Amino acid sequence: MPRFQAVLFDFFGTLTRSVQRGAAHRSTAELLGCPSDTLVEVLDRTYYQRASGLLGNAEATLRWVCDQAGVHPSDGAVRAAVASRHRAVRADTRLRDEAVPVLAGLRQRGVRTGLISDCTHELPAFLPQLAIAPLLDVRVFSVQVGRCKPDAALYLAACRRLELAPADCLYVGDGGSQELTGAERAGMTAARLAAPDLAEHMVFNAERGWAGRALTSLTEVLELVDPAVEPIACAVPWPRRRRRVGGGA
């Protein structure tokens, strides 16, 4: 019998491979009439303000970013930049090869699945297009809840939607935003994904001192949940990508 009734996953760097801001983000800066380096600096230092959702919708949030950067684009330019940013964040997102097999394997064993992500407005918009979408029982986004990890509100929201106690849930993440400590404080068991590609991952408030369980691959989640599980075969791993300059979604 599985040790947990549900497994809740972080998204960026956990269900996806390491993330760096790609070249497509330059188009957003150009549309706003903002130097790319300035936009990156503002995005990095305001991540949690933006991911909280308290600045309004995507357009209002980007207008606020422009104010912080000292630029004042037209309404049309802001709307175009919102669409550009959506495309850029989507382009940075590549699911791990094992993400779909692991989620499917959990559900086949009667284990429920969910997502808890610190994110801005883009992820809730494009997640339904991803192959993992039909394999998730619950989705909790900071930008919709109004709180960011490690706030217990996100973890408990997932539990309420699953109608499970925190003790029945395993949380798996790369360790950004002090998320592992947050999950344990909320009453869950937590495990850190320490995949090799995460050395290049764009992360904020990383949990460097985590001394708990660590996994080198998502496939180990199945064994952790059900020790009798057979290893799953995945596609050939993604090739290692060169590090890109930048940070923050």
Side-chain angles (χ1 to χ4, degrees), residues 15-31:
L15 291 176
T16 78
R17 289 194 56 84
S18 64
V19 175
Q20 287 291 326
R21 185 181 290 109
H25 288 271
R26 286 198 293 268
S27 296
T28 304
E30 291 170 359
L31 287 165

Side-chain angles (χ1 to χ4, degrees), residues 103-183:
L103 289 170
L106 288 169
R107 288 164 65 94
Q108 288 167 4
R109 291 164 177 80
V111 178
R112 304 186 73 186
T113 62
L115 175 73
I116 302 176
S117 179
D118 276 353
C119 62
T120 47
H121 293 281
E122 296 77 23
L123 178 58
F126 69 70
L127 182 70
Q129 304 164 15
L130 303 183
I132 61 170
L135 299 172
L136 295 168
D137 293 303
V138 296
R139 309 168 190 180
V140 177
F141 303 110
S142 65
V143 73
Q144 295 177 347
V145 175
R147 306 284 182 85
C148 292
K149 303 171 193 174
D151 194 301
L154 283 87
Y155 308 96
L156 297 180
C159 291
R160 284 194 300 271
R161 296 176 195 180
L162 290 169
E163 299 183 337
L164 293 174
D168 295 326
C169 303
L170 171 68
Y171 180 82
V172 180
D174 63 274
S177 300
Q178 303 290 307
E179 62 185 349
L180 305 174
T181 297

